[in-house]
Coordinates of all heavy atoms in Angstrom, one line a residue:
L78 N 13.3 39.5 91.3 CA 12.2 39.0 90.5 C 12.3 39.5 89.1 O 12.0 38.7 88.1 CB 10.9 39.4 91.1 CG 10.6 38.9 92.5 CD1 9.3 39.4 93.0 CD2 10.6 37.4 92.5
D79 N 12.7 40.7 88.9 CA 13.0 41.2 87.5 C 14.1 40.4 86.8 O 14.0 40.1 85.6 CB 13.4 42.7 87.5 CG 12.1 43.6 87.8 OD1 11.0 43.1 87.7 OD2 12.4 44.8 88.2
A80 N 15.1 40.1 87.5 CA 16.3 39.4 86.9 C 15.7 37.9 86.5 O 16.2 37.4 85.5 CB 17.4 39.2 88.0
F81 N 14.9 37.3 87.4 CA 14.4 36.0 87.0 C 13.5 36.0 85.8 O 13.6 35.1 84.9 CB 13.6 35.4 88.2 CG 14.4 35.2 89.5 CD1 13.8 35.4 90.7 CD2 15.8 35.1 89.5 CE1 14.5 35.3 91.9 CE2 16.5 35.0 90.6 CZ 15.9 35.1 91.9
E82 N 12.7 37.1 85.7 CA 11.8 37.2 84.5 C 12.6 37.4 83.2 O 12.3 36.8 82.2 CB 10.9 38.4 84.8 CG 9.9 38.5 83.6 CD 9.0 39.7 83.9 OE1 9.1 40.4 84.9 OE2 8.0 39.9 83.0
K83 N 13.7 38.2 83.3 CA 14.5 38.4 82.1 C 15.2 37.1 81.7 O 15.3 36.8 80.5 CB 15.5 39.5 82.4 CG 14.9 40.9 82.5 CD 16.1 41.9 82.7 CE 15.4 43.3 82.9 NZ 16.5 44.4 83.3
L84 N 15.7 36.3 82.6 CA 16.3 35.0 82.2 C 15.3 34.1 81.6 O 15.6 33.3 80.7 CB 16.9 34.4 83.5 CG 18.1 35.0 84.1 CD1 18.5 34.4 85.4 CD2 19.3 35.1 83.2
K85 N 14.0 34.2 82.1 CA 13.0 33.3 81.5 C 12.5 33.8 80.1 O 12.4 33.0 79.1 CB 11.8 33.3 82.4 CG 10.6 32.3 81.9 CD 11.1 30.9 81.8 CE 10.0 30.0 81.3 NZ 10.4 28.6 81.1
T86 N 12.3 35.1 79.9 CA 11.7 35.6 78.7 C 12.8 35.8 77.6 O 12.5 36.0 76.4 CB 11.0 37.0 79.0 OG1 12.0 37.9 79.5 CG2 9.9 36.8 79.9
S87 N 14.0 35.8 78.0 CA 15.1 36.0 77.0 C 15.3 34.8 76.1 O 15.9 34.9 75.0 CB 16.4 36.4 77.6 OG 16.9 35.4 78.4
R88 N 14.8 33.7 76.6 CA 15.0 32.3 75.9 C 16.5 32.1 75.6 O 16.8 31.6 74.6 CB 14.1 32.3 74.7 CG 12.6 32.4 74.9 CD 11.8 32.3 73.7 NE 12.1 33.5 72.8 CZ 11.6 33.7 71.6 NH1 10.8 32.7 71.1 NH2 11.9 34.7 70.9
K89 N 17.3 32.5 76.5 CA 18.8 32.2 76.3 C 19.2 31.4 77.6 O 18.8 31.7 78.7 CB 19.5 33.5 76.2 CG 19.2 34.2 74.9 CD 20.0 35.5 74.8 CE 19.7 36.2 73.4 NZ 20.5 37.5 73.3
P90 N 20.3 30.5 77.4 CA 20.8 29.8 78.6 C 21.8 30.7 79.3 O 22.2 31.8 78.8 CB 21.6 28.7 77.9 CG 21.9 29.2 76.6 CD 20.8 30.1 76.1
F91 N 22.0 30.4 80.6 CA 23.0 31.2 81.4 C 23.7 30.2 82.3 O 23.4 29.0 82.5 CB 22.1 32.2 82.3 CG 21.1 31.6 83.2 CD1 21.4 31.3 84.5 CD2 19.9 31.3 82.6 CE1 20.5 30.7 85.3 CE2 18.9 30.7 83.5 CZ 19.2 30.5 84.8
Q92 N 24.8 30.8 83.0 CA 25.6 30.0 83.9 C 25.0 30.0 85.3 O 24.6 31.0 85.8 CB 27.0 30.5 83.9 CG 27.8 30.3 82.7 CD 28.0 28.9 82.3 OE1 27.8 28.6 81.1 NE2 28.5 28.1 83.3
F93 N 24.9 28.7 85.8 CA 24.4 28.6 87.2 C 25.6 28.1 88.0 O 26.1 27.1 87.7 CB 23.2 27.6 87.2 CG 22.8 27.2 88.7 CD1 22.2 28.2 89.5 CD2 23.0 25.9 89.1 CE1 21.8 27.8 90.8 CE2 22.7 25.6 90.4 CZ 22.0 26.5 91.3
I94 N 25.9 28.8 89.0 CA 27.2 28.5 89.8 C 26.8 28.4 91.3 O 26.1 29.3 91.8 CB 28.2 29.5 89.6 CG1 28.6 29.7 88.1 CG2 29.5 29.3 90.4 CD1 29.5 30.9 87.8
V95 N 27.3 27.3 91.8 CA 27.2 27.2 93.3 C 28.6 27.0 93.8 O 29.3 26.0 93.5 CB 26.3 25.9 93.7 CG1 26.3 25.9 95.3 CG2 24.9 26.1 93.1
S96 N 29.0 27.9 94.6 CA 30.4 27.8 95.3 C 30.2 27.4 96.7 O 29.3 27.8 97.4 CB 31.2 29.2 95.2 OG 30.5 30.1 96.0
R97 N 31.2 26.5 97.2 CA 31.0 25.9 98.5 C 32.3 26.1 99.2 O 33.4 25.9 98.6 CB 30.7 24.4 98.4 CG 29.4 24.1 97.6 CD 29.2 22.6 97.3 NE 28.0 22.3 96.6 CZ 27.9 22.3 95.3 NH1 28.9 22.7 94.6 NH2 26.7 22.0 94.8
A98 N 32.2 26.4 100.5 CA 33.4 26.6 101.3 C 33.1 26.2 102.7 O 31.9 26.5 103.2 CB 33.9 28.0 101.2
T99 N 34.0 25.7 103.5 CA 33.8 25.4 104.9 C 33.8 26.7 105.8 O 34.3 27.8 105.3 CB 34.9 24.5 105.4 OG1 36.2 25.1 105.2 CG2 34.9 23.1 104.6

Side-chain angles (χ1 to χ4, degrees):
L78 295 179
D79 287 344
F81 302 149
E82 183 179 3
K83 288 179 182 178
L84 291 175
K85 180 61 178 174
T86 58
S87 68
R88 295 182 296 175
K89 294 181 180 179
F91 59 94
Q92 291 299 130
F93 173 68
I94 301 173
V95 179
S96 65
R97 303 171 178 83
T99 60

